Amino acid sequence: MTVDARLQRLIDLAAPYWAGEAEVVRTYWTSPKRTRATDLLWLSRQCFKEFWGSGVGKYDKGGIFLGVLKNIVARADAIDTGFDRHEMLDLLEGFKAEFAHYCAFADVYDELRPAGAPRLNPKRLESWPEEDALTALRFRHQEQHGEIGLRACKLTEGGYCGLFREGMALAGKGGVDGTIAAACALVYEDEFGHMLGGIANIVTEGLSDAEWKLLGELVTAQLQLRIRMRNAQFSGPLSEARVAAIFRGEIEPVAFDYRRAGLAA
Ligand SMILES: [Fe+2]
Ligand SMILES: [Fe+2]
């Protein structure tokens, strides 16, 4: 099985940015900026993304947890009379997976917090400007470009699991690093699947050349904001000059696993 050339071009476009997002996290682990306070900050921000994050799916406006939950309730009446049972099953599975991600990172946070500091809970979580900018862009893409915009959001979800892969690489290290690695390993499997959800069927949907081009532009714009979102989440391990260099393509791209993605024999 050979990979569709247009899909390959799209992945080639995304691969340097995916590598850039991974570089943010990898650099952070050994950065002089890293303290317990910055660890607690990125963990709470990741919990924000897993619980309140939005702009990725058509059902998650209002936050992954409450937005999707409201949709499940609203559609319960229409199962198999307008809302396909398998679509409901997908919703429920996605709902459980994202809450499991929230739990995984919240558990690491609670383990790491100083004695006497309050436990984490969803109402205490806050967004940050670069996360808001990414979310706003994703909503704008969906509003302006409909299905193509949604497709771009799905494709960029999780950023080829950069955070989770680099977190897993901490396995075997002592203390909090081992705990972070375990949480990231749990999330990694799900998020690889979620990204593939953005790729599934893309070739068979008969997109026009103009639509492929638009998809590439939307994906590029989102992935650039993802790098800024991650860099801010992790207290800025990469300099602005390094971010600019990554945007110019001065980075070894991620090697996309076509076989794992089911796109090559
Ligand atoms: Fe997640
Ligand atoms: Fe996800």
Side-chain angles (χ1 to χ4, degrees):
M1 183 173 148
T2 57
V3 181
D4 182 273
R6 293 160 306 174
L7 179 57
Q8 184 148 17
R9 264 204 304 280
L10 188 65
I11 289 170
D12 287 348
L13 212 59
Y17 296 107
W18 285 333
E21 192 175 329
E23 183 178 313
V24 170
V25 179
R26 195 167 58 245
T27 306
Y28 171 77
W29 299 140
T30 54
S31 159
K33 290 187 174 170
R34 186 180 180 196
T35 63
R36 177 154 73 165
T38 61
D39 271 359
L40 288 169
L41 183 64
W42 81 256
L43 285 162
S44 67
R45 285 176 163 176
Q46 190 59 30
C47 288
F48 174 88
K49 287 180 74 69
E50 304 290 359
F51 192 92
W52 296 112
S54 203
V56 167
K58 55 183 164 181
Y59 300 125
D60 64 7
K61 296 207 165 88
I64 287 178
F65 190 87
L66 284 173
V68 175
L69 188 60
K70 280 179 189 154
N71 251 290
I72 290 168
V73 172
R75 287 164 191 275
D77 256 358
I79 293 172
D80 290 337
T81 59
F83 193 63
D84 184 83
R85 71 189 75 149
H86 298 106
E87 207 169 334
M88 178 57 93
L89 189 58
D90 283 350
L91 256 173
L92 290 166
E93 280 169 355
F95 179 71
K96 185 193 174 230
E98 297 302 347
F99 190 63
H101 303 167
Y102 165 78
C103 292
F105 289 110
D107 287 348
V108 181
Y109 179 99
D110 281 337
E111 200 178 311
L112 193 61
R113 85 201 133 103
R119 273 166 64 85
L120 185 139
N121 72 64
K123 287 189 183 146
R124 285 184 43 213
L125 302 175
E126 279 174 36
S127 188
W128 60 105
E130 292 81 358
E131 163 72 5
D132 290 341
L134 173 64
T135 299
L137 182 72
R138 285 174 147 169
F139 277 132
R140 207 157 63 234
H141 283 171
Q142 291 185 50
E143 277 155 25
Q144 292 176 348
H145 306 291
E147 281 298 313
I148 300 285
L150 181 62
R151 173 70 77 177
C153 292
K154 287 265 164 212
L155 258 159
T156 64
E157 185 186 346
Y160 200 66
C161 302
L163 162 59
F164 314 120
R165 252 182 312 118
E166 296 301 330
M168 284 165 75
L170 294 174
K173 299 230 161 87
V176 68
D177 283 5
T179 316
I180 292 170
C184 286
L186 183 133
V187 176
Y188 177 79
E189 292 298 322
D190 290 335
E191 287 301 338
F192 201 85
H194 293 176
M195 179 201 56
L196 294 184
I199 293 176
N201 307 329
I202 193 168
V203 174
T204 56
E205 273 183 5
L207 300 186
S208 68
D209 287 348
E211 285 171 323
W212 276 101
K213 186 164 170 283
L214 174 63
L215 189 55
E217 287 164 7
L218 302 186
V219 162
T220 300
Q222 289 183 23
L223 290 178
Q224 289 190 347
L225 288 202
R226 278 194 68 89
I227 290 178
R228 295 201 181 281
M229 172 279 290
R230 279 287 184 235
N231 202 36
Q233 180 185 3
F234 283 84
S235 302
L238 298 190
S239 67
E240 185 51 41
R242 180 59 195 143
V243 171
I246 292 170
F247 286 6
R248 289 195 302 272
E250 294 165 22
I251 188 168
E252 180 70 28
V254 149
F256 188 83
D257 190 341
Y258 284 95
R259 193 187 295 188
R260 173 134 194 241
L263 294 169

